Amino acid sequence: MTDPVIIFDTTLRDGEQSPGASMNTAEKLRIAVQLEKLGVDVIEAGFPAASEGDFEAVSKIAGRLKKTEVAGLARASRGDIDRAWQAVRHAARPRIHTFIATSDIHLQYKLKMSREEVVKAAVEAVRYAKSLTDTVEFSAEDGSRSDRDYLCRVFEAAIAAGATTVNLPDTVGYAVPEEFGELVRYVREHTPNIQKAVLSVHCHNDLGLATSNTLAAIRAGARQAEVTINGIGERAGNTSLEEVVMALHTRANFLKAGTGIHTEFIHPTSRLVSMITGIMVQPNKAVVGANAFAHEAGIHQDGVLKNPMTYEIMKPETIGLSASRLVLGKHSGRHALRTQLKDLGYDLSDDEVELVFTKFKELADKKKNVLDEDLEAIVTEGILRTADVFVLDYLHVTSGTTVLPMASVRLKINGRPVRDAGYGNGPIDAAFNTIGRLTGTASELLRFSISALTGGTDAMGEVTVRLRENGLLALGKGADPDIITASAKAYINGLNRLEYLKTHPVQEEAGL
Ligand code: KIV
Ligand code: ZN
């Protein structure tokens, strides 16, 4: 017998707090639709009071999803709660998530409030949220470093005021598993009305213990886990959805709890989030890393061939990695392409498939086999990127041992064509200098990396850049068989993300 654990996904809120991971509304909507398909119970779609962009994204997601609960985050203030409610009110299943810190260090230095004042603020916030909707979550920020009895008192008051979920965050990733499990047990035993609410946990990964802490909490009776795809989030990130879900799935015999997640969508969802945010998944990442199912040692390979269960505790198919995908080439048609895209988790409209098909044919003319990674790059370039201010129209570079590297570039800026040419230390430098001048931007290039998406000299090159302008950070990604074009695309993608951030400023005081 397994007990159900509610999966609360905060990729679009805490996950978006990863440095440089800002997403626009269309990108968030696409991830939300995929999360619904994955079967998460609650999506925290954003923090509506933080910015107009967040408000717009939460409202759009609320209007779109049919089954999944949509939560909006709010500090314990009427203004924030009103804003969150305005954004989620059209959801089939809305939730307001309000929070205030409960640790003495936060009370003294951040809030400058007494314990009594915080209890009062929490109660007023929950009561007000409850007057707007039935489903109200209350979080005690920095709960793991709060006085235990005070924490129980705040939870008791919040539940009495109408909270249907109380959440215990390990905000700074300080807890260790035994201690955190023990704290959850304590809260369950010392909060008199705890059975009237769901007890949730929300862990950060500063010590690499977020998943372990979450599992310890579930063992101790927590019944909601707050997670993000690929574990992205503030600083070292949040508990990763795929790790918790697959641990519960694989070790149900011991953990005796389960989720309603359709695990076969885990891998496609992980790829989608990585493609949209530009945050790569480390190759050795549990469950979704590129090497998670790769067996290198001969002795392991031999064992796996005789019986996969010798070294594989999970089947790759369970998370949506299919071993027997079609290999597409220039003779493949639309049907094969659509099937492959579906397998990869991309449910595209007819128009979108048509667009991908055109680019796929162009690539297949240059490259014998078009692999999954190539297709994903085409989808990211052509479909997932939307509402760009700057679009690359034309790029020509000259370089070599005897010429000064030069780039000639034509861009469209909000649809208007502009052109220029310039020099640099190398062809990429020349292209970046020219693009920077044409766009009138002054970003600083903090990181530049190139990798080959697949093997062979005809592989697609993937470039990631990290840019900073006036304190704003953005990642950009680009892929192309020509690495100079891939670099220019990545740079322009980063500049587009910076433009988005300039026009959707986050309210300073709303930052968590
Ligand atoms: O880490 C944290 O404490 C949070 C709360 C807002 C739940 O993200
Ligand atoms: Zn958090």
Side-chain angles (χ1 to χ4, degrees):
M1 255 312 262
T2 61
D3 245 17
V5 171
I6 295 166
I7 294 294
F8 175 113
D9 182 281
T10 182
T11 305
L12 298 176
R13 199 276 300 170
D14 223 330
E16 208 208 12
Q17 288 173 218
S18 305
S22 60
M23 299 168 244
N24 65 33
T25 300
E27 291 168 337
K28 287 186 180 173
L29 198 54
R30 200 173 271 275
I31 291 180
V33 168
Q34 179 69 20
L35 289 171
E36 180 162 72
K37 197 163 147 194
L38 179 65
V40 310
D41 301 285
V42 189
I43 292 176
E44 184 161 60
F47 184 4
S51 70
E52 278 305 318
D54 250 38
F55 181 85
E56 180 195 74
V58 178
S59 321
K60 288 249 161 71
I61 292 168
R64 177 72 172 270
L65 300 189
K66 307 213 166 44
K67 303 191 293 271
T68 316
E69 246 180 64
V70 179
L73 183 67
R75 285 166 296 188
S77 76
R78 279 193 172 230
D80 267 32
I81 294 171
D82 280 335
R83 203 77 183 126
W85 177 237
Q86 286 310 318
V88 297
R89 62 183 302 173
H90 301 296
R93 302 178 60 207
R95 173 184 294 210
I96 296 175
H97 176 193
T98 185
F99 73 98
I100 191 163
T102 52
S103 66
D104 287 337
I105 188 162
H106 277 236
L107 264 60
Q108 189 180 345
Y109 295 101
K110 188 180 84 174
L111 298 175
K112 300 190 189 331
M113 286 167 82
S114 68
R115 285 188 176 184
E116 290 313 314
E117 285 169 331
V118 165
V119 176
K120 190 160 169 279
V123 166
E124 276 171 11
V126 171
R127 203 170 278 145
Y128 184 55
K130 190 75 176 191
S131 72
L132 302 171
T133 185
D134 284 343
T135 314
V136 176
E137 171 166 340
F138 169 76
S139 282
E141 191 191 8
D142 207 18
S144 60
R145 292 195 303 166
S146 304
D147 175 83
R148 291 178 161 209
D149 292 317
Y150 177 62
L151 180 65
C152 295
R153 223 184 103 207
V154 179
F155 278 165
E156 183 186 356
I159 296 169
T164 42
T165 298
V166 284
N167 181 37
L168 198 178
D170 181 28
T171 304
V172 290
Y174 180 74
V176 292
E178 260 193 83
E179 174 199 41
F180 196 59
E182 170 53 31
L183 177 60
V184 166
R185 217 165 276 120
Y186 191 88
V187 166
R188 288 186 66 211
E189 284 164 8
H190 294 84
T191 307
N193 51 1
I194 195 73
Q195 71 294 341
K196 293 198 179 137
V198 173
L199 179 55
S200 165
V201 289
H202 172 115
C203 298
H204 280 268
N205 205 27
D206 299 65
L207 294 172
L209 294 171
T211 298
S212 307
N213 286 334
T214 302
L215 294 176
I218 291 171
R219 286 268 294 156
R223 284 297 171 263
Q224 175 175 286
E226 301 202 351
V227 293
T228 62
I229 300 292
N230 300 335
I232 62 170
E234 186 80 31
R235 304 182 311 277
N238 289 58
T239 308
S240 95
L241 177 144
E242 57 278 6
E243 291 175 15
V244 168
V245 168
M246 288 314 291
L248 294 176
H249 183 93
T250 310
R251 297 306 315 276
N253 57 340
F254 181 76
L255 295 166
K256 300 197 170 25
T259 70
I261 294 295
H262 306 301
T263 59
E264 68 278 17
F265 294 120
I266 285 181
H267 190 258
T269 310
S270 159
R271 296 294 303 158
L272 182 72
V273 169
S274 170
M275 291 288 162
I276 287 181
T277 58
I279 300 180
M280 289 193 203
V281 174
Q282 73 191 61
N284 58 325
K285 164 88 175 62
V287 185
V288 292
N291 296 345
F293 293 91
H295 303 275
E296 186 76 15
I299 202 165
H300 287 208
Q301 290 176 350
D302 182 55
V304 169
L305 287 174
K306 288 176 176 147
N307 180 348
M309 294 316 265
T310 50
Y311 285 100
E312 258 174 23
I313 58 164
M314 300 170 262
K315 292 199 181 90
E317 307 84 90
T318 312
I319 63 151
L321 264 175
S322 136
S324 56
R325 288 247 170 79
L326 302 170
V327 176
L328 300 183
K330 67 176 175 190
H331 301 299
S332 309
R334 285 178 181 74
H335 182 68
L337 176 70
R338 189 187 277 277
T339 310
Q340 193 83 335
L341 288 170
K342 271 215 152 136
D343 270 4
L344 288 169
Y346 300 112
D347 250 335
L348 304 184
S349 67
D350 290 346
D351 287 350
E352 288 173 332
V353 172
E354 217 34 56
L355 215 142
V356 176
F357 189 68
T358 310
K359 300 222 175 222
F360 156 72
K361 283 285 176 187
E362 282 168 16
L363 183 64
D365 274 339
K366 299 184 198 154
K367 193 172 184 280
K368 189 165 173 280
N369 293 330
V370 178
L371 306 178
D372 290 351
E373 291 83 350
D374 300 322
L375 281 185
E376 286 189 322
I378 293 175
V379 173
T380 313
E381 295 279 313
I383 311 288
L384 302 181
R385 301 232 166 108
T386 45
D388 284 349
V389 175
F390 310 121
V391 178
L392 180 66
D393 216 16
Y394 167 92
L395 171 70
H396 178 84
V397 285
T398 45
S399 73
T401 50
T402 54
V403 287
L404 197 57
M406 197 198 85
S408 162
V409 181
R410 199 168 60 217
L411 295 182
K412 283 209 175 102
I413 303 185
N414 286 321
R416 186 177 51 88
V418 290
R419 64 197 307 164
D420 199 359
Y423 297 100
N425 284 333
I428 295 175
D429 191 43
F432 281 24
N433 288 342
T434 314
I435 292 167
R437 210 166 39 245
L438 274 173
T439 54
T441 52
S443 67
E444 194 187 338
L445 181 65
L446 302 179
R447 200 180 81 203
F448 175 82
S449 67
I450 302 186
S451 55
L453 278 177
T454 52
T457 49
D458 64 351
M460 286 272 253
E462 187 180 57
V463 175
T464 305
V465 297
R466 189 172 161 88
L467 305 176
R468 180 168 56 202
E469 193 177 358
N470 294 332
L472 300 172
L473 279 175
L475 288 169
K477 263 187 155 192
D480 199 275
D482 176 316
I483 54 165
I484 300 173
T485 307
S487 305
K489 285 180 175 175
Y491 186 44
I492 291 170
N493 177 236
L495 293 179
N496 278 314
R497 286 177 180 273
L498 281 174
E499 282 314 293
Y500 178 79
L501 291 176
K502 287 180 203 168
T503 51
H504 294 80
V506 174
Q507 280 172 23
E508 274 304 316
E509 75 281 11
L512 289 177

